[in-house]
């Protein structure tokens, strides 16, 4: 039932404050503001390497988690799309934890990669939305993302719930490895608990995003840029846009722009930038200026502090609420989804059933 929404995708975007709030409560002791992962009997201090494998949007969630595991927990992360991983058959180091992220839990390539890791004696964890799925059953342990049924082919609430659950794993790992003290844990946990209300504020930007989407729908090519853990959000924004609006979109790390893609930039190239005012903000702003000097049309998603210093010359600026820095990728996924959704609506495409795509890819 779509309720008052025109599409399941719109309903599922709007549901995120509620489902995220629900998801996080499964993994948090709210009295101590501490993470509890009852089903994961694992000592992260004994893990020397994490390998993450998934497809599509779930793979992009792994990309965000790589930044978190490395920066917050100090664990090196290797990651790959499942279709490459399974045939590459990489040697696994001792004490490898292999993490498989899949909404459906049935994606053929991801399942094959899991079986390879099981056969090669890695410890395996599935992060899934369907508890009785093959990936949940065949992993040593599984974590449910509690997103509820996702019907729109383009993944939205599953992505942000995957990120939320992965962040709880990161916190647990960082604690066990002595990289985070109880106060640090409590700060991250309370930021996670505060995320639903911040996302509610972000959702209120919808009307402004509709205006931007109407303008964007007239173009045939776009670039998406981000730095640090916002780079995967640029990739996700580009993936969402291409799959439902059929507009050609590519995501790049901001710093890669001058190594090739900037040659594409002219007045027919909108460039979507995700840049909260974080430690890397100034670098992203200088990339934006390079684009604007070539008449590229910048659509900037930033916070108040960022908008104050970087709005000059941008085509459109949409403000997001401030958020605890490590959680910015979860927050900025929301405008990425809304932009893709409303661009597709403006183009009149079949949003919930985009051409050529299936919800669950159970054949390779
Ligand atoms: C994109 C999308 C797909 C899936 C991918 C993996 O919006 O939904 O890229 O993320 O097919 O599916 P799961 O997570 O079921 O393994």
């Amino acid at each position: 039932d779509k309720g008052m929404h025109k599409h399941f995708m719109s309903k599922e975007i709007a549901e995120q404050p509620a489902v995220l709030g629900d998801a996080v409560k499964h993994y948090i002791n709210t009295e101590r503001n501490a993470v509890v992962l009852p089903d994961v009997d694992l000592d992260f201090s004994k893990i020397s390497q994490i390998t993450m494998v998934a497809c599509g949007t779930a793979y992009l969630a792994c990309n965000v988690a790589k930044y978190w595991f490395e920066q917050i927990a100090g664990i090196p992360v290797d990651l790959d799309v499942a279709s490459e991983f399974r045939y590459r058959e990489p040697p696994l180091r001792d004490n490898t934890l292999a993490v498989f992220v899949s909404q459906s839990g049935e994606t053929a390539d991801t399942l094959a990669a899991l079986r390879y890791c099981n056969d090669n004696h890695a410890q395996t964890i599935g992060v899934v939305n369907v508890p009785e799925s093959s990936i949940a059953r065949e992993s040593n342990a599984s974590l449910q993302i509690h997103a509820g049924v996702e019907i729109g082919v383009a993944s939205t609430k599953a992505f942000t719930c995957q990120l939320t659950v992965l962040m709880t794993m990161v916190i647990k790992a960082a604690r066990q490895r002595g990289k985070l003290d109880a106060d640090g844990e409590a700060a991250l946990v309370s930021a996670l608990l505060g995320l639903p209300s911040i996302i509610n504020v972000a959702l209120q930007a919808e009307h402004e995003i509709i205006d931007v989407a109407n303008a964007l729908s007239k173009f045939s090519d776009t670039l998406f840029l981000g730095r640090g853990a916002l780079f995967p959000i640029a990739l996700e924004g580009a993936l969402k846009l291409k799959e439902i609006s059929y507009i050609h979109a590519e995501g790049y790390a901001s710093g890669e722009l001058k190594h090739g893609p900037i040659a594409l930039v002219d007045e027919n190239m909108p460039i979507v930038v995700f840049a909260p005012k974080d430690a890397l903000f100034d670098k992203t702003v200088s990339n934006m200026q390079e684009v604007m000097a070539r008449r590229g049309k910048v659509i900037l998603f930033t916070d108040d502090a960022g908008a104050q210093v970087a709005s000059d010359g941008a085509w459109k600026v949409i403000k997001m609420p401030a958020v605890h820095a490590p959680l910015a990728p979860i927050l900025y996924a929301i405008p990425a989804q809304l932009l893709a959704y409303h661009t597709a609506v403006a183009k009149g495409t079949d949003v919930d059933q985009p051409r050529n795509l299936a919800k669950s890819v159970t054949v390779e």
Side-chain angles (χ1 to χ4, degrees):
D1 178 18
K2 290 185 278 229
M4 59 185 208
H5 293 272
K6 202 169 151 198
H7 298 101
F8 282 107
M9 185 177 176
S10 147
K11 171 174 175 270
E12 289 162 1
I13 290 172
E15 271 172 6
Q16 288 174 107
V19 291
L20 240 102
D22 177 51
V24 78
K25 289 208 181 90
H26 283 89
Y27 301 110
I28 276 171
N29 173 328
T30 44
E31 272 159 39
R32 291 188 293 118
N33 266 5
V35 168
V36 275
L37 302 179
D39 298 329
V40 179
D41 179 21
L42 184 76
D43 181 353
F44 280 94
S45 68
K46 304 230 158 61
I47 296 298
S48 53
Q49 165 87 38
I50 296 179
T51 292
M52 303 189 82
V53 185
C55 301
T57 284
Y59 168 70
L60 297 176
C62 295
N63 275 257
V64 173
K66 173 183 168 75
Y67 286 85
W68 289 339
F69 273 118
E70 294 188 345
Q71 291 175 345
I72 302 172
I75 311 177
V77 175
D78 206 30
L79 84 176
D80 208 348
V81 290
S83 56
E84 284 302 312
F85 182 90
R86 65 178 291 194
Y87 294 114
R88 193 162 51 98
E89 302 191 335
L92 301 179
R93 289 201 182 92
D94 289 346
N95 305 315
T96 289
L97 168 66
V99 179
F100 302 85
V101 179
S102 174
Q103 189 282 130
S104 63
E106 301 295 347
T107 299
D109 283 326
T110 310
L111 182 58
L114 165 63
R115 288 176 177 157
Y116 172 81
C117 289
N118 278 337
D119 290 345
N120 285 277
H121 315 293
Q123 308 206 51
T124 56
I125 295 186
V127 177
V128 298
N129 198 28
V130 182
E132 61 279 7
S133 61
S134 304
I135 289 173
R137 278 187 283 107
E138 295 190 28
S139 305
N140 299 151
S142 74
L143 290 174
Q144 244 182 285
I145 61 166
H146 298 285
V149 178
E150 190 180 64
I151 293 170
V153 163
S155 186
T156 53
K157 62 177 180 169
F159 179 66
T160 49
C161 286
Q162 284 161 352
L163 290 177
T164 301
V165 171
L166 288 167
M167 178 50 107
T168 63
M169 255 173 88
V170 170
I171 296 169
K172 184 92 197 165
R175 282 291 277 148
Q176 289 184 345
R177 296 168 73 86
K179 298 280 178 188
L180 201 63
D181 60 14
D183 289 348
E185 175 175 27
L188 273 169
V189 166
S190 64
L192 275 177
L193 291 168
L195 208 47
S197 63
I198 295 179
I199 289 178
N200 260 321
V201 177
L203 288 168
Q204 285 159 24
E206 185 157 10
H207 289 288
E208 289 166 77
I209 293 175
I210 290 172
D211 290 340
V212 175
N214 287 338
L216 191 64
S217 68
K218 310 283 191 303
F219 291 84
S220 52
D221 301 275
T222 52
L223 293 177
F224 283 68
L225 302 179
R227 260 183 200 268
L230 274 302
F231 165 40
I233 300 305
L235 296 174
E236 169 64 2
L239 176 61
K240 275 308 75 109
L241 187 70
K242 75 184 104 179
E243 75 179 316
I244 61 172
S245 79
Y246 316 144
I247 292 176
H248 175 218
E250 291 200 57
Y252 280 98
S254 306
E256 271 293 291
L257 196 66
K258 54 166 71 81
H259 299 285
I262 199 165
L264 294 168
V265 174
D266 63 14
E267 69 278 11
N268 296 317
M269 182 66 86
I271 292 127
V272 181
V273 182
F274 299 109
K277 196 164 183 310
D278 57 15
L280 301 172
F281 182 72
D282 294 344
K283 295 186 187 300
T284 302
V285 170
S286 72
N287 300 131
M288 261 170 51
Q289 283 160 349
E290 289 156 6
V291 160
M292 292 184 307
R294 288 156 183 89
R295 291 176 297 152
K297 294 187 162 64
V298 169
I299 300 167
L300 172 63
F301 291 93
T302 186
D303 47 24
D304 234 334
Q308 272 176 34
V309 295
S311 295
D312 275 1
W315 189 40
K316 318 268 181 193
V317 179
I318 307 262
K319 278 199 265 178
M320 289 289 112
V323 65
H324 192 51
L327 303 187
I330 308 181
L331 177 64
Y332 282 74
I334 307 298
Q337 297 164 354
L338 286 172
L339 184 64
Y341 174 72
H342 286 293
T343 306
V345 168
K347 292 197 67 179
T349 57
D350 188 349
V351 173
D352 283 333
Q353 287 291 337
R355 67 188 183 198
N356 311 339
L357 292 174
K359 181 67 182 161
S360 182
V361 184
T362 52
V363 291
E364 61 173 295

